[in-house]
Amino acid sequence: MSSVPEPPQPATATSHPFEGDPVFDLHLGGKMRVAATAPLKDAADLSLAYTPGVALVCEAIAADPSMTQHYTWVPNTVAVISDGTAVLGLGDIGPSAAMPVMEGKAVLFKQFGGVDAVPICLDTTDTEQIIETVARLAPSFGGINLEDISAPRCFEIEDRLKEILDIPVFHDDQHGTAVVALAALKNALKITGREAATTRVVISGAGAAGVAVAKILLEAGITDLAVTDRKGVLHSSRGDLTPVKKALAEMTADKTGRTGTLGDVLAGADVYLGVSGGTVPEEDVARMAPDAIIFGLANPTPEVHPDIAHKYGRVVATGRSDFPNQINNVLAFPGIFRGALDVHATSITEGMKLAAANALAELVGDDLSETFVIPSPFDERVPGAVSSAVAEAARRDGVARR
């Protein structure tokens, strides 16, 4: 019996333009590849994996499409989709330049969640084209992770895809940040002896992350919340608000009557949470309440540098790995998708996100301190704890199909 030949290996360049730079050396040829899970050692294997055997599986799926959950990679595979308009702190760099980030995201899905992921960078920024393209790709995937799509388009794209599709759709720039920030805040409130219902929070930044953080904090019991953009506090008397910002204003500052600048609302605030970039003047930080909680999450330069934050705050977090209390989305999205895929969820609910945040917060346990309010991404307990909590919440919320 003839055997299947060993596959040829891709040609690897012996030199490249940035040879010797460890970052470029690591990226040479990309960071991922597809590997077979079925043996292909001889003609018998080939007849099972491809023709004629594969036809039996195709016929079974044609008769009952739910069989894809058993006999394809679909239920464990996520599409990581971007148009390259809001990549890291680099902004609108286009789909080709976004690919290294999407590859990285796919690798993180696999490493931290056991989820297969395919990076897809779309050569369009048109909202309708993105929605149509993703909807047409959806049958090949168990979930859709939207990534680095600029606001305000990202809100409409996610909302409409959630209406159209019966698989999880999750914009990580919004919800991953929100889940991890809430988990860290829960523990920071414990340290400072505060209760959510009586804590005054200020968020700077009303883009993708700011909107999602505000919404999850409201879900978690924060009632006194002001969100600011470049022109100050979002409130309905402003005539320049987008529909998304106006809706957020109605849920936040309209209820408390807060107006003015970021500096105005920071006076006496218990919590500052920055997802905006820029720098908050030290004199504004100094006017916060005693034992303040200061999360400056902009990368690579936090809105409030930790050296300044520690002068006035008790608990300080950033988005950087070289300071304690890193708010890192990798703590959330792999486990959230793992849990959602495990129960074949039709969507990711607010309850599932809250469950993920609670699971992360609880992992800190007795090690809780000012410099340890959130687990490390390399804590091996994280994926299992998050995925189990999310799966349970999916069942509770009625979106689990198994």
Side-chain angles (χ1 to χ4, degrees):
M1 183 178 293
S2 61
S3 62
V4 176
E6 289 295 320
Q9 298 301 309
T12 302
T14 56
S15 63
H16 57 94
F18 296 96
E19 186 175 5
D21 184 302
V23 173
F24 284 91
D25 287 346
L26 181 144
H27 282 79
L28 185 62
K31 297 189 290 286
M32 57 185 294
R33 64 181 180 183
V34 174
T37 61
L40 289 174
K41 297 187 180 301
D42 52 37
D45 289 342
L46 191 59
S47 71
L48 293 174
Y50 203 53
T51 60
V54 71
L56 296 176
V57 180
C58 294
E59 289 173 340
I61 294 172
D64 180 359
S66 70
M67 291 296 103
T68 57
Q69 295 296 309
H70 299 285
Y71 301 115
T72 73
W73 81 332
V74 166
N76 193 56
T77 307
V78 168
V80 179
I81 296 179
S82 179
D83 66 356
T85 54
V87 181
L88 302 177
L90 304 174
D92 185 355
I93 60 174
S96 296
M99 180 54 79
V101 177
M102 302 312 125
E103 283 186 6
K105 195 80 171 191
V107 170
L108 295 177
F109 263 113
K110 188 65 173 179
Q111 182 68 30
F112 293 99
V115 175
D116 294 313
V118 178
I120 300 172
C121 295
L122 303 179
D123 190 14
T124 178
T125 61
D126 181 84
T127 296
E128 297 299 329
Q129 290 182 4
I130 292 172
I131 293 169
E132 180 180 2
T133 301
V134 175
R136 291 182 184 279
L137 289 170
S140 297
F141 299 98
I144 303 294
N145 182 90
L146 301 173
E147 192 76 21
D148 292 348
I149 298 173
S150 62
R153 296 173 309 118
C154 61
F155 303 116
E156 181 181 358
I157 290 168
E158 183 189 37
D159 288 346
R160 288 177 55 191
L161 284 171
K162 286 164 68 174
E163 292 174 1
I164 295 168
L165 303 179
D166 65 349
I167 58 175
V169 177
F170 186 83
H171 185 204
D172 184 52
D173 304 290
Q174 294 185 61
H175 310 299
T177 303
V179 165
V180 182
L182 173 59
L185 181 59
K186 282 176 170 286
N187 282 330
L189 293 178
K190 285 183 183 178
I191 288 173
T192 58
R194 291 181 168 98
E195 297 292 333
T198 55
T199 295
R200 186 153 79 80
V201 179
V202 175
I203 297 173
S204 69
V211 170
V213 170
K215 288 181 176 179
I216 203 170
L217 294 188
L218 293 170
E219 290 280 348
I222 296 291
T223 58
D224 192 341
L225 175 60
V227 181
T228 68
D229 63 7
R230 291 182 180 87
K231 296 183 179 180
V233 176
L234 303 187
H235 56 85
S236 291
S237 59
R238 280 178 50 179
D240 61 338
L241 299 183
T242 65
V244 171
K245 289 183 178 182
K246 189 173 190 308
L248 191 58
E250 292 169 354
M251 294 186 286
T252 56
D254 284 5
K255 294 185 177 297
T256 60
R258 299 197 187 281
T259 60
T261 66
L262 172 62
D264 293 334
V265 288
L266 274 179
D270 300 299
V271 178
Y272 167 75
L273 205 156
V275 284
S276 60
T279 301
V280 180
E282 182 175 350
E283 56 266 30
D284 291 342
V285 180
R287 298 166 65 201
M288 293 182 68
D291 286 342
I293 298 166
I294 302 172
F295 290 5
L297 306 186
N299 255 326
T301 305
E303 293 88 348
V304 182
H305 192 278
D307 292 344
I308 301 297
H310 281 295
K311 291 171 64 174
Y312 307 102
R314 185 169 174 189
V315 181
V316 175
T318 72
R320 288 173 44 161
S321 59
D322 53 345
F323 293 109
N325 297 328
Q326 184 191 19
I327 308 302
N328 191 328
N329 290 19
V330 77
L331 287 164
F333 68 84
I336 289 173
F337 268 97
R338 177 74 278 152
L341 295 175
D342 284 347
V343 297
H344 193 193
T346 57
S347 63
I348 294 172
T349 65
E350 291 303 313
M352 292 160 74
K353 291 178 242 178
L354 289 171
N358 290 336
L360 283 172
E362 290 169 3
L363 282 178
V364 172
D366 294 337
D367 294 323
L368 179 64
S369 71
E370 284 87 348
T371 58
F372 191 69
V373 295
I374 195 73
S376 163
F378 297 100
D379 185 330
E380 295 181 353
R381 301 172 300 163
V382 167
V386 173
S387 63
S388 295
V390 167
E392 182 179 345
R395 294 188 181 100
R396 189 167 56 245
D397 290 349
V399 297
R401 287 179 283 198
R402 66 173 177 230

